[in-house]
Amino acid sequence: MRTGTGAITHLRDLRFTAPAEYARTLRKAHEATISGNPDPSISPALIKSWQRSLALGIDPDQHRPVHRHDVSEARSLSADHRLATVMPALSQLLADESSAGRHLLIVTDQQGEVLWRVGSRQALRLADSLEFVEGADWSESGVGTNAISEALVTGAPAQLFSAEHLVRTHHDWACTAAPIRDPYTGEVAGVLDVSGPFESVTPDSLRMVRCGVRLAEELLRSAGAPAARQQTGGAVRSALTLTLLGDKPSAGLDGGARLPLTLRRAEILALLASRTQGWSADELAYRLHGEDGAATAVRTEMHRIRGILGNVVEPNPYRFSSAVRVVTDASVVADHLRDGRVAQALAAYPAKLLNRSVNLSIELMRDELNEAVGASVRASGDAQLIMQWCASDMGASDTEGAAAMARLIGPGDPRFQLVRARMERVDRELQS
């Protein structure tokens, strides 16, 4: 392309020198590419992103973002998010809330849900028209190709101008985004984005966003890792311990103070600990609430769990982060059983798994562990262990255990009579 002076100019140079002309060129390229005739003005990587978005049902003509939470709920969740501590500094560096301000500062979570918007009233009104609001899903599956989704997919900074966005209603905008990473684990904690009318983008926009990310990550680093983070193979690794046996579930991170857990959050963590491949939000919703379960309720609880424990759970699917070593008191019991240490397993088993839970999945896990302990104790042939088991709340109704003890010590032994009396009392209580 030649300018009026005859100098050769690359198309992308017009992004800053003649943004309206560049936008018109991109819109023509967008129309051609969507019609099945890819235009070289649209990069192959963007075309692949458009194809993924279209396959997910994104409508280029009128698509509105998915809303994971309403605005008030998302604002409430953001208060507990780990990035809340960096927002004042980011706002001071990048936001423009003056009456002349044209761009927005946006920060999302690691899944692309908008948690914070900072900008002038004019910029906020423009964003409202696109439903670019707190709680909206700005990932590829939520609203199609945009800078936030590209930052999430590629893990690198991205800048999209006008019709590089898939959805046509976004063609008046330019967006610059980059992921914010946990300085200790390298995992994405969220995305920093600066968006506004395409005339507002400057050659410094990408540099400023990168600067904002560096600031956020340094603030996260200065907040400090817990004192007892462990070095494993040269990588920093946290230790999460979960108390799930009994009726007072709690969690501890890196040897810190025990944090009480609600029953629902304990159920979620127990399910996460039960399988390494993880769970989708829909799967967890069904396991927790049955047919009436909603994925949004699971996402809300996950936000709250992260607010308490930090970034210990990865999304899509939900599972414990590879940077976290998870130990539950239930898994300690199971490990003892696997290694044949029956006495140690029984000593580490003071109560049943989440014994106040009436959730079917938890009940099945509870019964499985209880039966495994009982069967191991009965198979040990140790009369003292069997008596200890049958005298406990967990083995109080184990008639097979009582019979095994009778064979070992004889029905006339006073110890057996104590166990039998207890079992008869339990039977009466169950029948009443």
Side-chain angles (χ1 to χ4, degrees):
M1 178 179 296
R2 292 185 180 274
T3 65
T5 61
I8 299 294
T9 302
H10 292 293
L11 177 62
R12 288 180 63 86
D13 291 342
L14 299 178
R15 176 176 299 221
F16 308 118
T17 59
E21 181 181 347
Y22 184 48
R24 284 194 295 270
T25 301
L26 286 177
R27 285 179 176 134
K28 291 178 182 177
H30 180 281
E31 296 302 321
T33 303
I34 291 294
S35 300
N37 300 302
D39 188 290
S41 301
I42 307 298
S43 72
L46 277 182
I47 291 176
K48 288 181 180 178
S49 177
W50 288 7
Q51 291 169 341
R52 291 194 300 267
S53 300
L54 292 168
L56 290 166
I58 305 298
D59 185 346
D61 290 316
Q62 57 185 11
H63 194 82
R64 295 292 186 180
V66 172
H67 290 264
R68 294 185 182 172
H69 300 94
D70 62 34
V71 172
S72 61
E73 189 176 24
R75 287 174 177 169
S76 176
L77 292 171
S78 70
D80 294 327
H81 196 279
R82 62 184 311 201
L83 291 180
T85 58
V86 308
M87 281 306 299
L90 289 180
S91 296
Q92 186 174 5
L93 176 69
L94 295 173
D96 184 356
E97 297 181 82
S98 69
S99 58
R102 303 192 67 194
H103 70 263
L104 284 176
L105 165 65
I106 302 287
V107 176
T108 78
D109 70 3
Q110 69 271 32
Q111 298 179 68
E113 179 180 355
V114 177
L115 294 183
W116 292 275
R117 300 189 312 164
V118 186
S120 67
R121 291 183 179 179
Q122 176 190 11
L124 291 170
R125 281 197 299 270
L126 289 173
D128 288 344
S129 68
L130 300 178
E131 299 181 29
F132 199 6
V133 298
E134 295 93 333
D137 180 359
W138 230 253
S139 69
E140 203 169 70
S141 61
V143 74
T145 306
N146 66 89
I148 293 171
S149 73
E150 284 294 285
L152 288 171
V153 169
T154 66
Q159 186 174 72
L160 267 67
F161 188 96
S162 183
E164 290 175 325
H165 295 88
L166 175 62
V167 178
R168 290 182 173 88
T169 51
H170 301 172
H171 289 185
D172 290 333
W173 286 67
C175 303
T176 307
I180 301 171
R181 295 185 179 276
D182 182 307
Y184 295 99
T185 67
E187 295 176 342
V188 173
V191 174
L192 170 62
D193 172 78
V194 172
S195 293
F198 62 68
E199 301 94 338
S200 67
V201 71
T202 73
D204 286 333
S205 295
L206 187 57
R207 180 181 63 82
M208 290 302 294
V209 165
R210 284 175 166 152
C211 181
V213 166
R214 287 196 296 272
L215 172 62
E217 292 176 348
E218 187 56 38
L219 289 172
L220 290 175
R221 185 187 303 278
S222 65
R229 283 186 185 268
Q230 300 176 358
Q231 293 288 338
T232 305
V236 179
R237 204 170 185 218
S238 296
L240 174 65
T241 58
L242 299 174
T243 299
L244 302 175
L245 300 177
D247 58 2
K248 293 181 179 179
S250 64
L253 192 61
D254 292 324
R258 303 300 300 178
L259 303 170
L261 296 170
T262 65
L263 181 57
R264 178 62 76 208
R265 290 169 202 166
E267 289 170 342
I268 291 173
L269 292 170
L271 287 170
L272 291 177
S274 72
R275 93 180 182 186
T276 56
Q277 68 265 39
W279 306 80
S280 70
D282 288 329
E283 286 176 324
L284 277 178
Y286 180 78
R287 289 296 186 115
L288 294 168
H289 305 288
E291 295 289 351
D292 297 328
T296 54
V298 171
R299 295 187 184 106
T300 298
E301 286 294 351
M302 288 299 181
H303 275 291
R304 291 169 178 162
I305 287 171
R306 292 189 189 99
I308 296 171
L309 300 176
N311 202 28
V312 299
V313 178
E314 296 176 348
N316 301 322
Y318 288 117
R319 58 187 171 189
F320 286 116
S321 166
S322 58
V324 178
R325 182 174 63 86
V326 181
V327 177
T328 76
D329 50 358
S331 70
V332 169
V333 174
D335 287 344
H336 283 316
L337 293 179
R338 275 191 289 269
D339 292 338
R341 298 187 296 268
V342 180
Q344 292 93 323
L346 187 57
Y349 187 52
K352 291 184 179 180
L353 177 72
L354 295 178
N355 54 18
R356 289 190 295 113
S357 175
V358 295
N359 177 270
L360 178 59
S361 295
I362 298 298
E363 288 178 342
L364 292 173
M365 291 166 59
R366 178 193 302 148
D367 292 345
E368 179 182 353
L369 181 61
N370 203 67
E371 177 53 33
V373 174
S376 298
V377 170
R378 293 192 300 268
S380 71
D382 186 321
Q384 187 62 32
L385 278 183
I386 297 174
M387 184 183 72
Q388 183 182 342
W389 166 248
C390 291
S392 70
D393 290 342
M394 297 81 73
S397 58
D398 187 349
T399 55
E400 292 182 49
M405 190 170 70
R407 290 193 296 271
L408 289 169
I409 65 176
D413 190 295
R415 293 174 295 174
F416 174 72
Q417 298 303 325
L418 287 172
V419 169
R420 187 174 69 174
R422 176 182 172 85
M423 297 182 74
E424 289 174 349
R425 177 176 61 80
V426 170
D427 286 341
R428 289 195 299 271
E429 290 174 351
L430 293 174
Q431 293 170 8
S432 61

